[in-house]
Amino acid sequence: MAKTFRNFIGGEWVAPSTGAWLENRNPADRRDLIGRFPDSGPADVRRAVASAKRGFAQWSRVPAPLRGDVLRRVGDLLTARKEALADAMTREMGKVLAETRGDVQEGIDTAYYAATEGRRLFGHVVPSELRRKWAMDWRRPIGVCGLVTPFNFPLAIPTWKMFPALVCGNSVIIKPSEDVPHSVTLLVEILLEAGLPPEAVQLVHGRGETVGKALVEHPEVPVISFTGSTETGALIGETCGRMHKRLSLEMGGKNAVIVMDDADLDLAVDGITWGAFGTTGQRCTATSRVIAHRRIHDRLVRRLVERAEALRLGDGREARTDVGPLIHEAAREKVERYVAIGLEEGATLATGGKRPRGAAVAQGSFFRPTIFTGVTPRMRLAQEEIFGPVLSVLKVGSFDEAVRVNNGVRYGLSSSVYTASVERAFRALEELDNGITYVNAPTIGAEAHLPFGGVKATGNGHREGGWPVFEFYSEIKVGYVDYSGRLQRAQLDTYGAEG
Ligand code: NAD
């Protein structure tokens, strides 16, 4: 009998008001049922908001350094349970253990970074233009934050949102992806164990169109942070615009690696293989395009094909596995549709393009690492986010053309250039239209203490991680203190007033 999990609302673990449940199954083996999770409804969201408001009243009054102490204990607990968390995450999401360990580590780094931020949260004291007057600003908590997260980083992305929001003194309601509800359940248990007041965190499981929508539309949730597809983000953006909500959007990508003719090809092949096929291509920063200089194009493709064909598919919890399954059948069917589109558009299938055979992969949503060559910039293969193990190779004749091809898509998350030239490296940093550019490294590899996010259809100007995220989760307040004992008028009395 599979375990039945609950929401965490009003300081207790409760069944959904709907009485309905969603099954959570291992994508590497659909026979493995992890558990039943709540298929909640708007009434559960309303209860969570009422409780989170009480949580906010209590938690926002705790001094920020003490809020940071709770996050430090969270970091300690994540560290102690790293292996168990990684195992649970691989079981429900599919990526290999090395990667889910990295996912937990990102949560640990985010916890310790947030803990130290509890002792910073800087404001400014600046000179006033008037005598005997102080002018300053500082940060205040905002209220209840609604957090909606995707499936591909089941733990790290929730921590990117929850930890800074909490250190800033807000309460949080998290609606994790219905595909990976277990990882966040384990995270909420850790937050409570670390001493977070129970009403400061609420966990409402369920589907996006019901629970996610109800959370975004609730008038008493002034802050929404969303990571997921650009299509869903656009819907959320419309609602938040109409309701005057503060909104952070982190969305899709179509990331490219540029390989110039002076590149270290060994390094580039390592980076592209990891960037394209790690997490089975299901990363917002996955390498989905290679923009190769014509002088090295054929050599590079030959080696990439060799490497792709050597990758071993299987259950991510087995040591020999390099690449796990896609998250579900709908994701695998989407990849198959794009393979058909690529062939119709006239691209050449260099390897992959189909489901693998064999008993080890028969019960899961596996797909062979796939490489297309002969891809041109306007093809859908080169423009649209596939979110699977499909790499498109485009051939260019110059660095300028490579920059144009990189920038000629609607997304702008990450990019990378492999070159030995300092001039090209710095030009890439300046000219590639992305939130993140790597030099001689793949398109993935963000660190928790740096800002993370993209431009164009990838984002809406905010960043996760690093210092800017603490700005997002706090409101700036300005105070003036005039101790001159008389009326002083800014601008009017500024010049000529005597002390
Ligand atoms: P998704 O958009 O399908 O779902 C994301 C979350 O939104 C889920 O929790 C879902 O339940 C919820 N949701 C769906 N419809 C909703 C609605 N109408 N209102 C409110 N919430 C709703 O995305 P996914 O398939 O889980 O994740 C893959 C996508 O996420 C890719 O496009 C990927 O690029 C993107 N992503 C971006 C980043 C980034 O930082 N830029 C990071 C990871 C993933």
Short mmCIF file of all heavy atoms in Angstrom, two decimals, residues 414-455:
data_model
loop_
_atom_site.label_atom_id
_atom_site.label_comp_id
_atom_site.label_asym_id
_atom_site.label_seq_id
_atom_site.Cartn_x
_atom_site.Cartn_y
_atom_site.Cartn_z
N SER A 414 21.11 31.56 -20.77
CA SER A 414 22.56 31.45 -20.65
C SER A 414 23.19 31.15 -22.01
O SER A 414 22.53 30.72 -22.95
CB SER A 414 22.96 30.42 -19.60
OG SER A 414 22.93 29.14 -20.13
N SER A 415 24.50 31.43 -22.08
CA SER A 415 25.25 31.19 -23.30
C SER A 415 26.68 30.87 -22.91
O SER A 415 27.06 31.06 -21.75
CB SER A 415 25.21 32.42 -24.21
OG SER A 415 25.69 33.55 -23.51
N SER A 416 27.44 30.39 -23.90
CA SER A 416 28.81 30.02 -23.58
C SER A 416 29.66 30.14 -24.83
O SER A 416 29.16 30.00 -25.96
CB SER A 416 28.80 28.57 -23.08
OG SER A 416 29.89 27.83 -23.55
N VAL A 417 30.94 30.44 -24.63
CA VAL A 417 31.85 30.48 -25.78
C VAL A 417 33.12 29.71 -25.42
O VAL A 417 33.63 29.82 -24.31
CB VAL A 417 32.18 31.94 -26.19
CG1 VAL A 417 32.92 32.69 -25.09
CG2 VAL A 417 32.99 31.97 -27.49
N TYR A 418 33.55 28.87 -26.35
CA TYR A 418 34.84 28.18 -26.21
C TYR A 418 35.80 28.84 -27.20
O TYR A 418 35.58 28.80 -28.42
CB TYR A 418 34.71 26.68 -26.48
CG TYR A 418 34.12 25.93 -25.30
CD1 TYR A 418 32.75 25.87 -25.12
CD2 TYR A 418 34.95 25.32 -24.35
CE1 TYR A 418 32.20 25.20 -24.03
CE2 TYR A 418 34.40 24.65 -23.26
CZ TYR A 418 33.02 24.59 -23.11
OH TYR A 418 32.49 23.94 -22.02
N THR A 419 36.85 29.45 -26.67
CA THR A 419 37.83 30.15 -27.50
C THR A 419 39.10 30.34 -26.69
O THR A 419 39.06 30.37 -25.46
CB THR A 419 37.28 31.53 -27.94
OG1 THR A 419 38.27 32.18 -28.74
CG2 THR A 419 36.97 32.43 -26.76
N ALA A 420 40.22 30.49 -27.41
CA ALA A 420 41.48 30.80 -26.72
C ALA A 420 41.75 32.30 -26.77
O ALA A 420 42.74 32.77 -26.20
CB ALA A 420 42.63 30.04 -27.38
N SER A 421 40.88 33.03 -27.42
CA SER A 421 41.13 34.46 -27.63
C SER A 421 40.50 35.30 -26.52
O SER A 421 39.29 35.23 -26.29
CB SER A 421 40.56 34.86 -29.00
OG SER A 421 40.16 36.19 -29.00
N VAL A 422 41.31 36.10 -25.89
CA VAL A 422 40.80 36.99 -24.83
C VAL A 422 39.83 37.99 -25.44
O VAL A 422 38.79 38.32 -24.86
CB VAL A 422 41.98 37.74 -24.16
CG1 VAL A 422 41.47 38.79 -23.19
CG2 VAL A 422 42.88 36.75 -23.44
N GLU A 423 40.16 38.44 -26.63
CA GLU A 423 39.29 39.43 -27.28
C GLU A 423 37.89 38.84 -27.51
O GLU A 423 36.88 39.46 -27.19
CB GLU A 423 39.93 39.84 -28.62
CG GLU A 423 39.17 40.92 -29.35
CD GLU A 423 38.84 40.53 -30.78
OE1 GLU A 423 39.59 39.73 -31.37
OE2 GLU A 423 37.82 41.00 -31.30
N ARG A 424 37.82 37.62 -28.06
CA ARG A 424 36.51 37.01 -28.31
C ARG A 424 35.79 36.71 -27.00
O ARG A 424 34.56 36.83 -26.92
CB ARG A 424 36.67 35.72 -29.10
CG ARG A 424 36.93 35.99 -30.57
CD ARG A 424 37.30 34.71 -31.23
NE ARG A 424 37.50 34.85 -32.65
CZ ARG A 424 38.10 33.94 -33.39
NH1 ARG A 424 38.57 32.84 -32.84
NH2 ARG A 424 38.24 34.12 -34.67
N ALA A 425 36.54 36.29 -26.01
CA ALA A 425 35.91 35.98 -24.72
C ALA A 425 35.21 37.22 -24.17
O ALA A 425 34.03 37.17 -23.77
CB ALA A 425 36.95 35.48 -23.72
N PHE A 426 35.90 38.34 -24.18
CA PHE A 426 35.29 39.55 -23.63
C PHE A 426 34.19 40.10 -24.53
O PHE A 426 33.19 40.63 -24.05
CB PHE A 426 36.36 40.60 -23.31
CG PHE A 426 36.93 40.38 -21.94
CD1 PHE A 426 37.99 39.51 -21.73
CD2 PHE A 426 36.36 41.00 -20.84
CE1 PHE A 426 38.49 39.27 -20.46
CE2 PHE A 426 36.85 40.77 -19.56
CZ PHE A 426 37.92 39.90 -19.37
N ARG A 427 34.37 39.94 -25.85
CA ARG A 427 33.28 40.37 -26.74
C ARG A 427 32.03 39.52 -26.48
O ARG A 427 30.92 40.02 -26.49
CB ARG A 427 33.72 40.25 -28.21
CG ARG A 427 34.55 41.46 -28.64
CD ARG A 427 34.73 41.46 -30.15
NE ARG A 427 33.45 41.48 -30.85
CZ ARG A 427 33.31 41.14 -32.14
NH1 ARG A 427 34.36 40.77 -32.86
NH2 ARG A 427 32.13 41.19 -32.72
N ALA A 428 32.24 38.23 -26.23
CA ALA A 428 31.09 37.36 -25.94
C ALA A 428 30.38 37.84 -24.67
O ALA A 428 29.15 37.95 -24.62
CB ALA A 428 31.54 35.91 -25.78
N LEU A 429 31.15 38.14 -23.63
CA LEU A 429 30.54 38.62 -22.38
C LEU A 429 29.70 39.87 -22.64
O LEU A 429 28.62 40.04 -22.08
CB LEU A 429 31.62 38.92 -21.34
CG LEU A 429 32.37 37.70 -20.79
CD1 LEU A 429 33.57 38.13 -19.96
CD2 LEU A 429 31.45 36.81 -19.95
N GLU A 430 30.21 40.73 -23.53
CA GLU A 430 29.49 41.99 -23.80
C GLU A 430 28.34 41.82 -24.78
O GLU A 430 27.31 42.45 -24.62
CB GLU A 430 30.48 43.00 -24.39
CG GLU A 430 31.25 43.73 -23.32
CD GLU A 430 32.17 44.80 -23.89
OE1 GLU A 430 32.07 45.12 -25.10
OE2 GLU A 430 32.98 45.30 -23.13
N GLU A 431 28.51 40.99 -25.79
CA GLU A 431 27.57 41.03 -26.92
C GLU A 431 26.51 39.94 -26.90
O GLU A 431 25.51 40.05 -27.60
CB GLU A 431 28.35 40.95 -28.25
CG GLU A 431 29.23 42.18 -28.47
CD GLU A 431 30.11 42.06 -29.70
OE1 GLU A 431 29.71 41.38 -30.66
OE2 GLU A 431 31.21 42.64 -29.70
N LEU A 432 26.72 38.87 -26.16
CA LEU A 432 25.70 37.81 -26.13
C LEU A 432 24.55 38.27 -25.24
O LEU A 432 24.76 38.70 -24.09
CB LEU A 432 26.30 36.49 -25.64
CG LEU A 432 27.41 35.93 -26.53
CD1 LEU A 432 27.96 34.62 -25.96
CD2 LEU A 432 26.94 35.72 -27.98
N ASP A 433 23.35 38.18 -25.79
CA ASP A 433 22.19 38.75 -25.14
C ASP A 433 21.56 37.74 -24.19
O ASP A 433 20.50 37.17 -24.49
CB ASP A 433 21.20 39.13 -26.27
CG ASP A 433 20.46 40.39 -25.93
OD1 ASP A 433 20.67 40.91 -24.82
OD2 ASP A 433 19.65 40.83 -26.77
N ASN A 434 22.22 37.51 -23.07
CA ASN A 434 21.76 36.52 -22.10
C ASN A 434 22.00 37.05 -20.68
O ASN A 434 22.84 37.93 -20.50
CB ASN A 434 22.55 35.20 -22.26
CG ASN A 434 22.43 34.64 -23.65
OD1 ASN A 434 23.23 34.96 -24.53
ND2 ASN A 434 21.42 33.84 -23.89
N GLY A 435 21.31 36.45 -19.72
CA GLY A 435 21.56 36.85 -18.33
C GLY A 435 22.88 36.31 -17.81
O GLY A 435 23.46 36.88 -16.88
N ILE A 436 23.36 35.21 -18.39
CA ILE A 436 24.58 34.56 -17.92
C ILE A 436 25.40 34.13 -19.14
O ILE A 436 24.85 33.52 -20.06
CB ILE A 436 24.26 33.29 -17.09
CG1 ILE A 436 23.25 33.60 -15.97
CG2 ILE A 436 25.53 32.67 -16.50
CD1 ILE A 436 22.61 32.35 -15.36
N THR A 437 26.69 34.41 -19.14
CA THR A 437 27.58 33.91 -20.20
C THR A 437 28.79 33.24 -19.56
O THR A 437 29.40 33.80 -18.64
CB THR A 437 28.04 35.05 -21.13
OG1 THR A 437 26.90 35.55 -21.84
CG2 THR A 437 29.06 34.56 -22.14
N TYR A 438 29.09 32.06 -20.02
CA TYR A 438 30.26 31.31 -19.54
C TYR A 438 31.35 31.35 -20.60
O TYR A 438 31.06 31.28 -21.80
CB TYR A 438 29.89 29.84 -19.31
CG TYR A 438 28.91 29.61 -18.19
CD1 TYR A 438 27.53 29.62 -18.43
CD2 TYR A 438 29.35 29.35 -16.89
CE1 TYR A 438 26.62 29.39 -17.40
CE2 TYR A 438 28.44 29.11 -15.85
CZ TYR A 438 27.09 29.13 -16.12
OH TYR A 438 26.19 28.89 -15.10
N VAL A 439 32.59 31.42 -20.16
CA VAL A 439 33.72 31.33 -21.07
C VAL A 439 34.46 30.03 -20.78
O VAL A 439 34.83 29.76 -19.63
CB VAL A 439 34.67 32.53 -20.89
CG1 VAL A 439 35.92 32.37 -21.76
CG2 VAL A 439 33.95 33.84 -21.23
N ASN A 440 34.59 29.20 -21.81
CA ASN A 440 35.27 27.90 -21.70
C ASN A 440 34.65 27.01 -20.61
O ASN A 440 35.35 26.31 -19.88
CB ASN A 440 36.77 28.09 -21.48
CG ASN A 440 37.43 28.66 -22.73
OD1 ASN A 440 36.95 28.44 -23.85
ND2 ASN A 440 38.50 29.41 -22.56
N ALA A 441 33.34 27.07 -20.51
CA ALA A 441 32.57 26.23 -19.59
C ALA A 441 31.17 26.09 -20.20
O ALA A 441 30.77 26.94 -20.99
CB ALA A 441 32.50 26.89 -18.22
N PRO A 442 30.45 25.04 -19.82
CA PRO A 442 29.12 24.83 -20.44
C PRO A 442 28.10 25.87 -20.00
O PRO A 442 28.38 26.73 -19.17
CB PRO A 442 28.74 23.43 -19.97
CG PRO A 442 29.58 23.15 -18.79
CD PRO A 442 30.84 23.94 -18.93
N THR A 443 26.87 25.76 -20.54
CA THR A 443 25.84 26.76 -20.24
C THR A 443 25.22 26.56 -18.86
O THR A 443 24.31 27.29 -18.48
CB THR A 443 24.70 26.69 -21.29
OG1 THR A 443 24.25 25.32 -21.37
CG2 THR A 443 25.15 27.15 -22.66
N ILE A 444 25.65 25.54 -18.15
CA ILE A 444 25.10 25.28 -16.83
C ILE A 444 26.21 25.39 -15.79
O ILE A 444 27.38 25.28 -16.12
CB ILE A 444 24.45 23.89 -16.76
CG1 ILE A 444 25.49 22.80 -17.03
CG2 ILE A 444 23.34 23.76 -17.77
CD1 ILE A 444 24.92 21.41 -17.02
N GLY A 445 25.84 25.63 -14.55
CA GLY A 445 26.86 25.71 -13.51
C GLY A 445 26.74 26.94 -12.63
O GLY A 445 27.73 27.45 -12.11
N ALA A 446 25.50 27.41 -12.44
CA ALA A 446 25.28 28.61 -11.61
C ALA A 446 25.66 28.32 -10.16
O ALA A 446 25.49 27.21 -9.67
CB ALA A 446 23.81 29.01 -11.70
N GLU A 447 26.15 29.33 -9.48
CA GLU A 447 26.49 29.22 -8.07
C GLU A 447 25.50 30.04 -7.25
O GLU A 447 25.05 31.10 -7.69
CB GLU A 447 27.93 29.66 -7.84
CG GLU A 447 28.89 28.77 -8.62
CD GLU A 447 30.36 29.13 -8.41
OE1 GLU A 447 30.71 29.61 -7.33
OE2 GLU A 447 31.14 28.90 -9.36
N ALA A 448 25.19 29.53 -6.04
CA ALA A 448 24.07 30.07 -5.25
C ALA A 448 24.25 31.52 -4.84
O ALA A 448 23.28 32.21 -4.57
CB ALA A 448 23.86 29.21 -4.02
N HIS A 449 25.50 31.99 -4.76
CA HIS A 449 25.71 33.35 -4.26
C HIS A 449 25.81 34.38 -5.37
O HIS A 449 26.19 35.52 -5.11
CB HIS A 449 26.93 33.40 -3.35
CG HIS A 449 28.19 32.93 -4.00
ND1 HIS A 449 28.34 31.65 -4.48
CD2 HIS A 449 29.35 33.56 -4.27
CE1 HIS A 449 29.54 31.53 -5.01
NE2 HIS A 449 30.17 32.67 -4.90
N LEU A 450 25.50 33.95 -6.61
CA LEU A 450 25.46 34.92 -7.71
C LEU A 450 24.04 35.04 -8.26
O LEU A 450 23.28 34.09 -8.19
CB LEU A 450 26.41 34.50 -8.84
CG LEU A 450 27.84 35.00 -8.57
CD1 LEU A 450 28.66 33.92 -7.93
CD2 LEU A 450 28.49 35.50 -9.83
N PRO A 451 23.71 36.21 -8.80
CA PRO A 451 22.38 36.37 -9.37
C PRO A 451 22.16 35.41 -10.53
O PRO A 451 23.08 35.15 -11.31
CB PRO A 451 22.38 37.82 -9.88
CG PRO A 451 23.51 38.48 -9.19
CD PRO A 451 24.53 37.43 -8.89
N PHE A 452 20.92 34.91 -10.64
CA PHE A 452 20.59 33.94 -11.69
C PHE A 452 19.31 34.38 -12.39
O PHE A 452 18.30 34.64 -11.74
CB PHE A 452 20.37 32.56 -11.06
CG PHE A 452 20.00 31.51 -12.06
CD1 PHE A 452 20.97 30.76 -12.68
CD2 PHE A 452 18.66 31.29 -12.39
CE1 PHE A 452 20.63 29.79 -13.63
CE2 PHE A 452 18.32 30.34 -13.34
CZ PHE A 452 19.31 29.59 -13.95
N GLY A 453 19.37 34.41 -13.71
CA GLY A 453 18.15 34.73 -14.46
C GLY A 453 18.50 35.17 -15.86
O GLY A 453 19.67 35.23 -16.24
N GLY A 454 17.45 35.47 -16.65
CA GLY A 454 17.70 35.78 -18.05
C GLY A 454 16.93 36.98 -18.55
O GLY A 454 16.10 37.54 -17.83
N VAL A 455 17.22 37.31 -19.80
CA VAL A 455 16.60 38.48 -20.43
C VAL A 455 15.56 38.00 -21.45
O VAL A 455 15.34 36.81 -21.63
CB VAL A 455 17.67 39.38 -21.10
CG1 VAL A 455 18.68 39.86 -20.06
CG2 VAL A 455 18.42 38.64 -22.22
#
